[in-house]
Amino acid sequence: VVLEARGDIFVVPTESGATANLSDTPGSREMVPCVSPDGQWVAFFSDKTGEYQLYMQKIGGGEWTPLTTTLDRMTYHPVWSPDGKKILFGNKDYSLFYVDIATKKLVKVDSSNQMKNDEFTWEVSDYGWSPDSNWICYTFVQYNRNSQVFLYELATGKKIAVTNDFYDNLNPCFD
């Protein structure tokens, strides 16, 4: 089990062994860890450079690999692609990104500037991957404050509206 507590990332064995503090950084905060599909890596955000950036680290510890260096907004909810080659996340400006782990290329999928019902929820976190890692599904709030479901094809960068904004549509996922 990988978890965040008091700004550090911990690995807690489910069968035997000792709990390990992966980050052990009193001067920074690490948050929202997620384990790669193969169970070998942990991705997380850290503010050790002054702004939250995405990193990955072997599940057993060691050096951190920076995946981003240019983020300047609060980030949320990283999700590994099923093939383990990309990580999807949102930010407080209602933008959705993915980063290619091999190239460290950051791609902006889409963005919005609409809040839902004047809530102060500054995040986009309603998104996911297709099983083949070729598509992203997500929702964005529209001007009438209903959420609309979209698909994004990674190969072409094409965005497709799956629903309209007449109804409030949430929590898309692939079967």
Side-chain angles (χ1 to χ4, degrees):
V1 176
V2 176
L3 54 94
E4 163 198 348
R6 301 185 60 78
D8 281 330
I9 306 296
F10 294 89
V11 174
V12 182
T14 57
E15 293 182 17
S16 65
T19 297
N21 184 336
L22 284 183
S23 53
D24 196 20
T25 53
S28 65
R29 179 177 181 224
E30 287 69 52
M31 62 179 198
V32 289
C34 61
V35 178
S36 64
D38 66 4
Q40 300 299 307
W41 296 91
V42 177
F44 56 90
F45 291 104
S46 174
D47 68 352
K48 76 177 188 172
T49 63
E51 295 287 346
Y52 280 101
Q53 301 300 326
L54 184 61
Y55 296 88
M56 61 186 243
Q57 181 182 26
K58 283 282 199 186
I59 196 97
E63 294 295 315
W64 298 5
T65 302
L67 298 176
T68 62
T69 58
T70 59
L71 300 178
D72 62 356
R73 304 284 186 277
M74 185 66 180
T75 50
Y76 303 98
H77 189 60
V79 179
W80 287 85
S81 60
D83 65 8
K85 296 180 179 180
K86 295 174 182 59
I87 299 174
L88 182 64
F89 63 92
N91 76 2
K92 81 169 192 93
D93 286 343
Y94 303 110
S95 294
L96 185 60
F97 301 89
Y98 73 85
V99 64
D100 183 291
I101 292 170
T103 65
K104 296 182 176 66
K105 180 181 177 185
L106 183 65
V107 176
K108 187 176 193 176
V109 172
D110 204 349
S111 64
S112 175
N113 61 357
Q114 185 65 41
M115 288 194 315
K116 191 170 194 83
N117 301 323
D118 296 326
E119 294 175 4
F120 290 97
T121 326
W122 296 100
E123 67 181 273
V124 174
S125 62
D126 195 7
Y127 43 81
W129 290 97
S130 64
D132 63 6
S133 303
N134 292 325
W135 292 84
I136 295 168
C137 60
Y138 61 98
T139 63
F140 271 145
V141 177
Q142 302 304 303
Y143 289 108
N144 67 355
R145 303 212 174 150
N146 282 339
S147 292
Q148 186 174 359
V149 175
F150 294 93
L151 295 177
Y152 176 87
E153 184 179 27
L154 274 69
T156 64
K158 183 177 179 182
K159 177 176 92 168
I160 301 165
V162 178
T163 64
N164 62 32
D165 63 359
F166 187 76
Y167 295 104
D168 197 19
N169 302 282
L170 300 167
N171 304 313
C173 64
F174 290 89
D175 67 5

